[in-house]
Amino acid sequence: IEHMTGGAENSLGQAASREIDVMGARAEAATVRRKRGSAVAGETTETEFLDAAERQFAENGYAGAKIRAIADAAKANLGALHYYWGSKESLFKAACARRMAPMIAERMARFDALSKSPASVEDILRAFFEPAFLSHRGDSLKRDLFCRIYTRMLTDPAPEVRAIVTDIFTEPTNRFVQLLRDACRNVDDATFYWRLHCVFGVFQHAAGYTEDIGTLSEGRFDTSDLDMGIENIIQFVAAGLTAPSR
């Protein structure tokens, strides 16, 4: 009887504990929603979640990012985080969209300006690449985080990430490709698109692995001079795109 009573008490205790957890999650989620009514408090709460998610995704990739670790880093109840975003995919998409939004807005603004008159290949390449390559150039910590999450987005094989990347980048990428195709009428379609494939590879590596050039060069020049770096990259890529077909 004592064993049965103890088991019943344990079951009741576990049920009560679960109920307390659920009530705590609901209370915290309600607090989050109330805070969102205040611009400052709401922004702070959302920023803490998204900052923690970014760090997890940048360091561990999509599959390795753990919701519990994100909640712990944001000092939030796990249930509240699930209630707020609903899924890891939704949280990752929100974090990526927030981080990429300024870059994409700048690209689109530049593309709009270039669409008003014939644009050079170099100007189109700069409009696409500079917003990423020069992002947060005055803040090394923010730049490092941007580069890491940008690289993760472009290389992570998870289907969820591929879908998010398509959703976020399709419009600016299509604009870029159309402008560039119009400026490279001296080559046929097959030649252009194979070269374009290489363009994306160059830009992706340069934006995500800038520090590698310092290792390769063994300190022979100032790798922190991003303006010099981008000029060399633009000249190299433009020459390859516009070279006569054989």
Side-chain angles (χ1 to χ4, degrees):
I1 294 173
E2 182 178 353
H3 175 72
M4 293 173 64
T5 302
E9 289 176 347
N10 287 338
S11 297
L12 288 171
Q14 291 171 1
S17 178
R18 287 195 296 271
E19 181 64 22
I20 290 171
D21 286 343
V22 170
M23 291 174 65
R26 288 173 178 168
E28 188 163 349
T31 300
V32 168
R33 292 196 300 275
R34 286 198 301 272
K35 285 183 176 180
R36 294 187 75 182
S38 166
V40 175
E43 288 172 3
T44 300
T45 300
E46 188 169 359
T47 296
E48 288 171 351
F49 280 128
L50 296 178
D51 285 349
E54 275 189 345
R55 288 191 293 271
Q56 273 289 309
F57 291 133
E59 293 170 7
N60 304 306
Y62 185 82
K66 304 301 180 185
I67 289 294
R68 182 172 295 280
I70 294 170
D72 289 345
K75 296 180 174 60
N77 182 289
L78 183 62
L81 194 152
H82 275 295
Y83 189 85
Y84 196 25
W85 270 282
S87 68
K88 185 167 88 169
E89 183 177 357
S90 295
L91 178 58
F92 179 62
K93 183 175 181 179
C96 291
R98 180 189 68 156
R99 182 59 60 188
M100 298 298 122
M103 178 192 73
I104 291 173
E106 184 177 349
R107 281 179 174 174
M108 295 299 283
R110 291 193 182 197
F111 293 156
D112 287 342
L114 292 174
S115 298
K116 296 176 182 178
S117 60
S120 68
V121 170
E122 290 82 0
D123 285 342
I124 298 167
L125 293 173
R126 284 193 184 89
F128 182 79
F129 191 46
E130 282 184 348
F133 191 73
L134 302 179
S135 179
H136 302 292
R137 62 185 303 174
D139 188 323
S140 60
L141 292 178
K142 287 185 178 181
R143 175 174 170 75
D144 177 66
L145 179 60
F146 173 87
C147 289
R148 285 193 295 151
I149 196 167
Y150 185 49
T151 302
R152 283 286 188 188
M153 289 180 68
L154 297 178
T155 60
D156 196 305
E160 296 89 344
V161 179
R162 307 275 35 92
I164 290 167
V165 167
T166 297
D167 185 57
I168 292 175
F169 288 130
T170 291
E171 184 180 3
T173 299
N174 286 345
R175 290 284 303 279
F176 168 65
V177 172
Q178 185 57 57
L179 284 168
L180 205 56
R181 185 69 190 103
D182 290 343
C184 296
R185 288 301 177 188
N186 63 310
V187 297
D188 58 35
D189 281 340
T191 300
F192 172 78
Y193 284 102
W194 274 114
R195 291 177 180 181
L196 179 67
H197 187 57
C198 297
V199 170
F200 287 125
V202 170
F203 282 179
Q204 178 179 317
H205 185 83
Y209 302 97
T210 306
E211 69 279 2
D212 287 2
I213 193 172
T215 302
L216 293 171
S217 65
E218 297 179 337
R220 290 188 176 91
F221 70 99
D222 181 11
T223 57
S224 66
D225 188 346
L226 298 180
D227 293 309
M228 179 182 68
I230 202 165
E231 282 306 312
N232 278 285
I233 293 169
I234 295 297
Q235 290 175 24
F236 172 79
V237 172
L241 272 172
T242 58
S245 303
R246 291 189 176 183

